[in-house]
Amino acid sequence: MTKKQTIFSAIQPSGELHIGNYLGALKNFVELQDKYDCFFFIADYHSISGEYNPKEKSKQIFDLALDFLAIGLDPQKCTIAVQSQIPEHTELAWIFNTVTPLAELQRMTQFKDKSQNQDQNINMGLLDYPVLQAADILIYKAYGVPVGQDQIQHIELTRKIARFFNNKFGETFPEPKDLITKTPKIMSLIDPTKKMSKSHGKKSCIGINDEPEMIKKKMRKAVSTTEYNEDIYSFYASLLENFGTEKNKKYFLEQFKNKDIKFSELKDALAEDISNHFKDFREKRKELEKDPEKVKNILSEGAEKARVIAKKTMREVKEKVGVIMG
Ligand code: TRP
């Protein structure tokens, strides 16, 4: 039997996931766990480089673990862990700091954007963020990293960091590939020219954990138009495409073709289809929520498993860097 290739990805615990996050990441993770040796992480150390409330963080970590498990990530098939529970990640990030040119970090678009958005808190973590991300990936010598479009630059830098390290200390890290998920962008419920994002408020997103009543309410308030509008039409078309039943797809795509959409009918139908899509997820999540010990155990077992590999890589790295005395 040939060994499966390693996949690494992570999500920051910073609030509820929406259906855009689901299509862009989680849905894909669930499929990958059957084919690869997968590591799916909760990137808590990344998430504290932004503005946040320390009192909410541990619940956000727990909530993301619930989302991972309830959506179908199976700890028998993949490794689920919290980043801060494997201190070797930050240790490796320090070593990577010493081979990463400052200019590489300063030109990252996400760093520039975030510095603008939180101009009172441009901390070192914000700048160093991609180096920790590189450590996350390379410590497991991952072959592939499933990410959205916005992370490509960080994966590119990860490959450079692997090269910088290998050139200086000898061949150690393979260069990981980005596995871009080809999913249509899900747009905001209130502005179909913008991507669905928490930063535009809860009314603009459908949470994967929203109750059916809430989904219906949000859909009813979503954009509509009396004239043909390309953005609005494609917004609804992509929801239908991804969540609609065959019957609804057929029925409403006909309305689309004739440019005569009955929005109130379409919105209620979509609300129902989206609710049904996440029905099992909501039930499983409620069950798990009642058993926090079980969830915490899964996370610490995941960390233990991951740590065996992380420690091994760190030993190799320390030797090559020259900090282990013979
Ligand atoms: N930076 C990623 C994001 O915000 C999260 C992340 C942290 C990550 N470490 C990672 C993604 C390693 C892929 C691989 O989406």
Side-chain angles (χ1 to χ4, degrees):
M1 204 180 87
T2 51
K3 205 167 162 283
K4 286 183 190 166
Q5 281 167 312
T6 299
I7 293 278
F8 186 97
S9 196
I11 297 182
Q12 298 187 52
S14 46
E16 292 162 25
L17 297 180
H18 55 68
I19 55 174
N21 303 132
Y22 165 73
L23 293 175
L26 287 180
K27 187 177 178 213
N28 193 28
F29 291 1
V30 175
E31 286 163 18
L32 289 168
Q33 67 179 342
D34 290 317
K35 298 189 211 101
Y36 295 96
D37 184 15
C38 291
F39 292 78
F40 296 122
F41 267 57
I42 296 174
D44 54 347
Y45 273 165
H46 279 107
S47 75
I48 64 171
S49 61
E51 297 290 352
Y52 78 104
N53 181 350
K55 292 200 179 75
E56 287 170 2
K57 191 49 71 186
S58 72
K59 180 163 189 301
Q60 289 176 333
I61 296 168
F62 180 71
D63 281 347
L64 186 53
L66 289 179
D67 290 337
F68 274 9
L69 295 168
I71 208 75
L73 293 185
D74 177 353
Q76 302 294 332
K77 294 184 187 167
C78 64
T79 306
I80 302 169
V82 180
Q83 183 187 37
S84 66
Q85 291 183 11
I86 295 113
E88 286 76 10
H89 287 225
T90 39
E91 207 180 346
L92 182 57
W94 176 257
I95 291 178
F96 284 166
N97 277 336
T98 67
V99 298
T100 308
L102 178 58
E104 292 284 351
L105 298 175
Q106 283 168 326
R107 66 177 194 82
M108 293 289 111
T109 18
Q110 206 167 75
F111 170 67
K112 290 188 218 163
D113 290 348
K114 285 185 183 168
S115 308
Q116 238 166 31
N117 295 339
Q118 55 185 74
D119 59 358
Q120 297 307 305
N121 180 14
I122 307 179
N123 62 75
M124 272 300 294
L126 220 48
L127 179 70
D128 207 29
Y129 182 111
V131 177
L132 179 58
Q133 184 162 349
D136 290 342
I137 298 164
L138 296 176
I139 206 161
Y140 302 106
K141 304 192 175 179
Y143 149 84
V145 189
V147 282
Q149 197 71 30
D150 64 319
Q151 294 295 317
I152 292 189
Q153 209 185 24
H154 290 163
I155 310 306
E156 223 169 70
L157 181 60
T158 300
R159 284 193 289 271
K160 278 195 190 172
I161 293 177
R163 247 176 279 152
F164 292 143
F165 186 96
N166 293 345
N167 285 340
K168 188 162 178 178
F169 301 110
E171 199 58 34
T172 311
F173 296 107
E175 292 181 28
K177 292 185 188 354
D178 41 58
L179 308 175
I180 298 298
T181 12
K182 279 195 196 59
T183 41
K185 267 191 205 159
I186 294 293
M187 307 313 266
S188 153
L189 294 178
I190 47 185
D191 180 353
T193 63
K194 296 207 180 94
K195 227 171 96 174
M196 184 176 280
S197 161
K198 269 191 312 245
S199 59
H200 304 134
K202 278 197 173 171
K203 278 188 205 144
S204 71
C205 304
I206 292 178
I208 58 175
N209 197 32
D210 279 350
E211 292 294 336
E213 268 315 301
M214 174 64 81
I215 299 179
K216 197 160 157 187
K217 217 166 106 189
K218 285 180 179 172
M219 279 305 300
R220 285 187 172 177
K221 287 196 181 138
V223 284
S224 45
T225 177
T226 48
E227 289 153 36
Y228 174 73
N229 174 303
E230 168 129 27
D231 289 327
I232 296 182
Y233 270 51
S234 56
F235 163 72
Y236 284 103
S238 73
L239 287 181
L240 257 183
E241 203 54 57
N242 286 288
F243 299 105
T245 58
E246 287 311 313
K247 186 165 150 255
N248 280 338
K249 271 187 210 167
K250 223 163 139 192
Y251 178 73
F252 287 105
L253 289 178
E254 192 59 32
Q255 288 190 6
F256 276 81
K257 238 189 269 161
N258 303 329
K259 303 201 166 154
D260 175 30
I261 300 179
K262 311 271 185 300
F263 278 100
S264 57
E265 208 183 345
L266 170 63
K267 287 173 169 195
D268 279 358
L270 271 175
E272 194 180 327
D273 288 349
I274 296 171
S275 301
N276 285 336
H277 190 95
F278 293 101
K279 185 166 178 282
D280 291 345
F281 167 79
R282 286 191 302 273
E283 283 168 10
K284 203 165 161 205
R285 199 179 187 283
K286 284 195 187 97
E287 274 308 302
L288 278 165
E289 204 172 2
K290 287 188 226 149
D291 198 351
E293 280 316 306
K294 181 176 168 182
V295 176
K296 284 182 209 160
N297 277 336
I298 291 173
L299 295 175
S300 43
E301 278 166 24
E304 231 172 277
K305 246 168 71 189
R307 226 179 153 189
V308 174
I309 303 168
K311 277 185 168 163
K312 190 164 165 251
T313 304
M314 269 321 290
R315 207 175 308 122
E316 182 187 357
V317 164
K318 282 182 160 182
E319 265 170 32
K320 289 190 170 161
V321 167
V323 294
I324 289 181
M325 282 183 280

